[in-house]
PDB file of all heavy atoms in Angstrom:
ATOM      1  N   VAL O  26      84.736 130.460 113.717  1.00 95.00           N
ATOM      2  CA  VAL O  26      84.178 129.308 114.423  1.00 95.00           C
ATOM      3  C   VAL O  26      84.298 129.560 115.921  1.00 95.00           C
ATOM      4  O   VAL O  26      85.109 130.374 116.376  1.00 95.00           O
ATOM      5  CB  VAL O  26      84.908 127.989 114.060  1.00 95.00           C
ATOM      6  CG1 VAL O  26      84.672 127.611 112.610  1.00 95.00           C
ATOM      7  CG2 VAL O  26      86.387 128.069 114.364  1.00 95.00           C
ATOM      8  N   ASP O  27      83.483 128.854 116.683  1.00 95.00           N
ATOM      9  CA  ASP O  27      83.544 128.926 118.139  1.00 95.00           C
ATOM     10  C   ASP O  27      84.832 128.239 118.583  1.00 95.00           C
ATOM     11  O   ASP O  27      85.030 127.061 118.285  1.00 95.00           O
ATOM     12  CB  ASP O  27      82.318 128.225 118.722  1.00 95.00           C
ATOM     13  CG  ASP O  27      82.212 128.327 120.230  1.00 95.00           C
ATOM     14  OD1 ASP O  27      83.240 128.526 120.909  1.00 95.00           O
ATOM     15  OD2 ASP O  27      81.089 128.188 120.729  1.00 95.00           O
ATOM     16  N   PRO O  28      85.721 128.930 119.298  1.00 96.00           N
ATOM     17  CA  PRO O  28      86.988 128.289 119.685  1.00 96.00           C
ATOM     18  C   PRO O  28      86.801 127.091 120.620  1.00 96.00           C
ATOM     19  O   PRO O  28      87.665 126.219 120.673  1.00 96.00           O
ATOM     20  CB  PRO O  28      87.774 129.418 120.356  1.00 96.00           C
ATOM     21  CG  PRO O  28      86.761 130.427 120.759  1.00 96.00           C
ATOM     22  CD  PRO O  28      85.637 130.304 119.773  1.00 96.00           C
ATOM     23  N   ALA O  29      85.668 127.027 121.304  1.00 95.00           N
ATOM     24  CA  ALA O  29      85.409 125.889 122.181  1.00 95.00           C
ATOM     25  C   ALA O  29      85.198 124.599 121.392  1.00 95.00           C
ATOM     26  O   ALA O  29      85.284 123.510 121.949  1.00 95.00           O
ATOM     27  CB  ALA O  29      84.192 126.166 123.067  1.00 95.00           C
ATOM     28  N   THR O  30      84.939 124.704 120.099  1.00 95.00           N
ATOM     29  CA  THR O  30      84.722 123.512 119.260  1.00 95.00           C
ATOM     30  C   THR O  30      85.992 123.077 118.533  1.00 95.00           C
ATOM     31  O   THR O  30      85.946 122.130 117.758  1.00 95.00           O
ATOM     32  CB  THR O  30      83.613 123.765 118.221  1.00 95.00           C
ATOM     33  OG1 THR O  30      84.057 124.746 117.283  1.00 95.00           O
ATOM     34  CG2 THR O  30      82.312 124.212 118.883  1.00 95.00           C
ATOM     35  N   LEU O  31      87.095 123.762 118.772  1.00 96.00           N
ATOM     36  CA  LEU O  31      88.341 123.460 118.063  1.00 96.00           C
ATOM     37  C   LEU O  31      89.225 122.507 118.851  1.00 96.00           C
ATOM     38  O   LEU O  31      89.461 122.699 120.046  1.00 96.00           O
ATOM     39  CB  LEU O  31      89.116 124.754 117.801  1.00 96.00           C
ATOM     40  CG  LEU O  31      88.524 125.667 116.753  1.00 96.00           C
ATOM     41  CD1 LEU O  31      89.151 127.048 116.823  1.00 96.00           C
ATOM     42  CD2 LEU O  31      88.695 125.064 115.378  1.00 96.00           C
ATOM     43  N   THR O  32      89.706 121.504 118.167  1.00 97.00           N
ATOM     44  CA  THR O  32      90.727 120.591 118.674  1.00 97.00           C
ATOM     45  C   THR O  32      91.630 120.261 117.488  1.00 97.00           C
ATOM     46  O   THR O  32      91.262 120.517 116.340  1.00 97.00           O
ATOM     47  CB  THR O  32      90.129 119.285 119.241  1.00 97.00           C
ATOM     48  OG1 THR O  32      89.402 118.622 118.217  1.00 97.00           O
ATOM     49  CG2 THR O  32      89.217 119.547 120.439  1.00 97.00           C
ATOM     50  N   PRO O  33      92.803 119.704 117.742  1.00 97.00           N
ATOM     51  CA  PRO O  33      93.638 119.307 116.607  1.00 97.00           C
ATOM     52  C   PRO O  33      92.864 118.357 115.686  1.00 97.00           C
ATOM     53  O   PRO O  33      92.108 117.496 116.147  1.00 97.00           O
ATOM     54  CB  PRO O  33      94.818 118.585 117.255  1.00 97.00           C
ATOM     55  CG  PRO O  33      94.882 119.145 118.636  1.00 97.00           C
ATOM     56  CD  PRO O  33      93.453 119.419 119.021  1.00 97.00           C
ATOM     57  N   ARG O  34      93.011 118.556 114.386  1.00 96.00           N
ATOM     58  CA  ARG O  34      92.391 117.726 113.351  1.00 96.00           C
ATOM     59  C   ARG O  34      90.870 117.878 113.276  1.00 96.00           C
ATOM     60  O   ARG O  34      90.210 117.088 112.635  1.00 96.00           O
ATOM     61  CB  ARG O  34      92.778 116.250 113.526  1.00 96.00           C
ATOM     62  CG  ARG O  34      94.285 116.014 113.414  1.00 96.00           C
ATOM     63  CD  ARG O  34      94.692 114.603 113.771  1.00 96.00           C
ATOM     64  NE  ARG O  34      94.311 114.152 115.106  1.00 96.00           N
ATOM     65  CZ  ARG O  34      94.945 114.492 116.235  1.00 96.00           C
ATOM     66  NH1 ARG O  34      95.990 115.287 116.200  1.00 96.00           N
ATOM     67  NH2 ARG O  34      94.541 114.023 117.397  1.00 96.00           N
ATOM     68  N   THR O  35      90.315 118.910 113.923  1.00 94.00           N
ATOM     69  CA  THR O  35      88.874 119.173 113.879  1.00 94.00           C
ATOM     70  C   THR O  35      88.655 120.589 113.367  1.00 94.00           C
ATOM     71  O   THR O  35      89.251 121.537 113.895  1.00 94.00           O
ATOM     72  CB  THR O  35      88.246 119.039 115.283  1.00 94.00           C
ATOM     73  OG1 THR O  35      88.520 117.738 115.790  1.00 94.00           O
ATOM     74  CG2 THR O  35      86.750 119.256 115.237  1.00 94.00           C
ATOM     75  N   LYS O  36      87.796 120.747 112.353  1.00 92.00           N
ATOM     76  CA  LYS O  36      87.579 122.051 111.718  1.00 92.00           C
ATOM     77  C   LYS O  36      86.989 123.092 112.660  1.00 92.00           C
ATOM     78  O   LYS O  36      87.236 124.266 112.499  1.00 92.00           O
ATOM     79  CB  LYS O  36      86.640 121.908 110.519  1.00 92.00           C
ATOM     80  CG  LYS O  36      87.252 121.200 109.353  1.00 92.00           C
ATOM     81  CD  LYS O  36      86.475 121.220 108.090  1.00 92.00           C
ATOM     82  CE  LYS O  36      85.008 121.352 108.128  1.00 92.00           C
ATOM     83  NZ  LYS O  36      84.402 121.348 106.792  1.00 92.00           N
ATOM     84  N   GLY O  37      86.205 122.680 113.608  1.00 93.00           N
ATOM     85  CA  GLY O  37      85.478 123.623 114.444  1.00 93.00           C
ATOM     86  C   GLY O  37      84.138 123.938 113.817  1.00 93.00           C
ATOM     87  O   GLY O  37      83.892 123.627 112.639  1.00 93.00           O
ATOM     88  N   GLN O  38      83.270 124.559 114.593  1.00 93.00           N
ATOM     89  CA  GLN O  38      81.916 124.807 114.135  1.00 93.00           C
ATOM     90  C   GLN O  38      81.439 126.188 114.533  1.00 93.00           C
ATOM     91  O   GLN O  38      81.909 126.765 115.508  1.00 93.00           O
ATOM     92  CB  GLN O  38      80.960 123.787 114.750  1.00 93.00           C
ATOM     93  CG  GLN O  38      81.264 122.373 114.414  1.00 93.00           C
ATOM     94  CD  GLN O  38      80.347 121.418 115.173  1.00 93.00           C
ATOM     95  OE1 GLN O  38      79.509 121.811 115.970  1.00 93.00           O
ATOM     96  NE2 GLN O  38      80.508 120.136 114.903  1.00 93.00           N
ATOM     97  N   LYS O  39      80.474 126.654 113.789  1.00 93.00           N
ATOM     98  CA  LYS O  39      79.730 127.833 114.215  1.00 93.00           C
ATOM     99  C   LYS O  39      78.715 127.351 115.242  1.00 93.00           C
ATOM    100  O   LYS O  39      78.171 126.256 115.110  1.00 93.00           O
ATOM    101  CB  LYS O  39      79.020 128.485 113.038  1.00 93.00           C
ATOM    102  CG  LYS O  39      79.978 129.169 112.085  1.00 93.00           C
ATOM    103  CD  LYS O  39      79.221 129.996 111.075  1.00 93.00           C
ATOM    104  CE  LYS O  39      80.150 130.664 110.109  1.00 93.00           C
ATOM    105  NZ  LYS O  39      80.934 131.723 110.663  1.00 93.00           N
ATOM    106  N   THR O  40      78.480 128.151 116.265  1.00 93.00           N
ATOM    107  CA  THR O  40      77.504 127.816 117.301  1.00 93.00           C
ATOM    108  C   THR O  40      76.645 129.040 117.567  1.00 93.00           C
ATOM    109  O   THR O  40      76.905 130.119 117.028  1.00 93.00           O
ATOM    110  CB  THR O  40      78.206 127.406 118.607  1.00 93.00           C
ATOM    111  OG1 THR O  40      78.951 128.530 119.088  1.00 93.00           O
ATOM    112  CG2 THR O  40      79.117 126.201 118.419  1.00 93.00           C
ATOM    113  N   GLU O  41      75.665 128.874 118.408  1.00 92.00           N
ATOM    114  CA  GLU O  41      74.837 130.008 118.799  1.00 92.00           C
ATOM    115  C   GLU O  41      75.726 131.108 119.393  1.00 92.00           C
ATOM    116  O   GLU O  41      75.547 132.282 119.111  1.00 92.00           O
ATOM    117  CB  GLU O  41      73.787 129.539 119.808  1.00 92.00           C
ATOM    118  CG  GLU O  41      72.745 130.567 120.128  1.00 92.00           C
ATOM    119  CD  GLU O  41      71.638 130.007 121.002  1.00 92.00           C
ATOM    120  OE1 GLU O  41      71.896 129.112 121.830  1.00 92.00           O
ATOM    121  OE2 GLU O  41      70.508 130.483 120.849  1.00 92.00           O
ATOM    122  N   ARG O  42      76.708 130.710 120.190  1.00 91.00           N
ATOM    123  CA  ARG O  42      77.631 131.671 120.791  1.00 91.00           C
ATOM    124  C   ARG O  42      78.435 132.419 119.729  1.00 91.00           C
ATOM    125  O   ARG O  42      78.552 133.637 119.759  1.00 91.00           O
ATOM    126  CB  ARG O  42      78.583 130.949 121.748  1.00 91.00           C
ATOM    127  CG  ARG O  42      79.638 131.842 122.356  1.00 91.00           C
ATOM    128  CD  ARG O  42      80.465 131.061 123.337  1.00 91.00           C
ATOM    129  NE  ARG O  42      81.791 130.846 122.809  1.00 91.00           N
ATOM    130  CZ  ARG O  42      82.857 130.685 123.561  1.00 91.00           C
ATOM    131  NH1 ARG O  42      82.765 130.678 124.867  1.00 91.00           N
ATOM    132  NH2 ARG O  42      84.028 130.503 123.009  1.00 91.00           N
ATOM    133  N   SER O  43      78.972 131.687 118.751  1.00 92.00           N
ATOM    134  CA  SER O  43      79.803 132.347 117.741  1.00 92.00           C
ATOM    135  C   SER O  43      78.981 133.259 116.832  1.00 92.00           C
ATOM    136  O   SER O  43      79.509 134.219 116.285  1.00 92.00           O
ATOM    137  CB  SER O  43      80.565 131.321 116.900  1.00 92.00           C
ATOM    138  OG  SER O  43      79.703 130.582 116.057  1.00 92.00           O
ATOM    139  N   GLU O  44      77.705 132.972 116.700  1.00 91.00           N
ATOM    140  CA  GLU O  44      76.842 133.785 115.850  1.00 91.00           C
ATOM    141  C   GLU O  44      76.226 134.970 116.597  1.00 91.00           C
ATOM    142  O   GLU O  44      75.405 135.684 116.050  1.00 91.00           O
ATOM    143  CB  GLU O  44      75.740 132.919 115.244  1.00 91.00           C
ATOM    144  CG  GLU O  44      76.264 131.931 114.221  1.00 91.00           C
ATOM    145  CD  GLU O  44      76.870 132.611 113.017  1.00 91.00           C
ATOM    146  OE1 GLU O  44      76.225 133.470 112.415  1.00 91.00           O
ATOM    147  OE2 GLU O  44      78.032 132.302 112.699  1.00 91.00           O
ATOM    148  N   GLY O  45      76.599 135.163 117.849  1.00 86.00           N
ATOM    149  CA  GLY O  45      76.090 136.313 118.597  1.00 86.00           C
ATOM    150  C   GLY O  45      74.924 135.995 119.491  1.00 86.00           C
ATOM    151  O   GLY O  45      74.327 136.889 120.081  1.00 86.00           O
ATOM    152  N   GLY O  46      74.587 134.729 119.614  1.00 75.00           N
ATOM    153  CA  GLY O  46      73.507 134.336 120.496  1.00 75.00           C
ATOM    154  C   GLY O  46      72.147 134.705 119.939  1.00 75.00           C
ATOM    155  O   GLY O  46      72.035 135.357 118.915  1.00 75.00           O
ATOM    156  N   PRO O  47      71.123 134.296 120.647  1.00 57.00           N
ATOM    157  CA  PRO O  47      69.773 134.606 120.190  1.00 57.00           C
ATOM    158  C   PRO O  47      69.488 136.090 120.334  1.00 57.00           C
ATOM    159  O   PRO O  47      70.095 136.775 121.161  1.00 57.00           O
ATOM    160  CB  PRO O  47      68.884 133.783 121.119  1.00 57.00           C
ATOM    161  CG  PRO O  47      69.708 133.621 122.356  1.00 57.00           C
ATOM    162  CD  PRO O  47      71.148 133.565 121.890  1.00 57.00           C
ATOM    163  N   LEU O  48      68.568 136.581 119.504  1.00 42.00           N
ATOM    164  CA  LEU O  48      68.128 137.958 119.675  1.00 42.00           C
ATOM    165  C   LEU O  48      67.450 138.062 121.027  1.00 42.00           C
ATOM    166  O   LEU O  48      66.809 137.129 121.495  1.00 42.00           O
ATOM    167  CB  LEU O  48      67.171 138.362 118.557  1.00 42.00           C
ATOM    168  CG  LEU O  48      67.772 138.380 117.164  1.00 42.00           C
ATOM    169  CD1 LEU O  48      66.695 138.688 116.137  1.00 42.00           C
ATOM    170  CD2 LEU O  48      68.882 139.402 117.074  1.00 42.00           C
ATOM    171  N   SER O  49      67.569 139.203 121.647  1.00 35.00           N
ATOM    172  CA  SER O  49      66.995 139.393 122.969  1.00 35.00           C
ATOM    173  C   SER O  49      65.491 139.162 122.944  1.00 35.00           C
ATOM    174  O   SER O  49      64.780 139.663 122.088  1.00 35.00           O
ATOM    175  CB  SER O  49      67.284 140.805 123.465  1.00 35.00           C
ATOM    176  OG  SER O  49      66.633 141.011 124.691  1.00 35.00           O
ATOM    177  N   THR O  50      65.000 138.401 123.915  1.00 38.00           N
ATOM    178  CA  THR O  50      63.563 138.191 124.048  1.00 38.00           C
ATOM    179  C   THR O  50      63.005 139.019 125.190  1.00 38.00           C
ATOM    180  O   THR O  50      61.851 138.881 125.548  1.00 38.00           O
ATOM    181  CB  THR O  50      63.249 136.698 124.291  1.00 38.00           C
ATOM    182  OG1 THR O  50      63.969 136.267 125.449  1.00 38.00           O
ATOM    183  CG2 THR O  50      63.636 135.868 123.091  1.00 38.00           C
ATOM    184  N   THR O  51      63.833 139.873 125.779  1.00 38.00           N
ATOM    185  CA  THR O  51      63.375 140.744 126.849  1.00 38.00           C
ATOM    186  C   THR O  51      62.553 141.860 126.242  1.00 38.00           C
ATOM    187  O   THR O  51      63.045 142.598 125.395  1.00 38.00           O
ATOM    188  CB  THR O  51      64.584 141.341 127.612  1.00 38.00           C
ATOM    189  OG1 THR O  51      65.414 140.276 128.028  1.00 38.00           O
ATOM    190  CG2 THR O  51      64.116 142.171 128.790  1.00 38.00           C
TER     191      THR O  51
END
């Protein structure tokens, strides 16, 4: 999970950041 989504008593979540972000569009 993304550590920025973690707090006590909260499971946390997967985010775009935790999944490696979007594929490059460059």
Side-chain angles (χ1 to χ4, degrees):
V26 293
D27 184 336
T30 67
L31 288 166
T32 59
R34 299 172 303 282
T35 303
K36 289 189 333 180
Q38 300 175 358
K39 289 190 181 290
T40 63
E41 189 173 32
R42 176 177 109 153
S43 69
E44 291 296 308
L48 296 176
S49 175
T50 56
T51 306

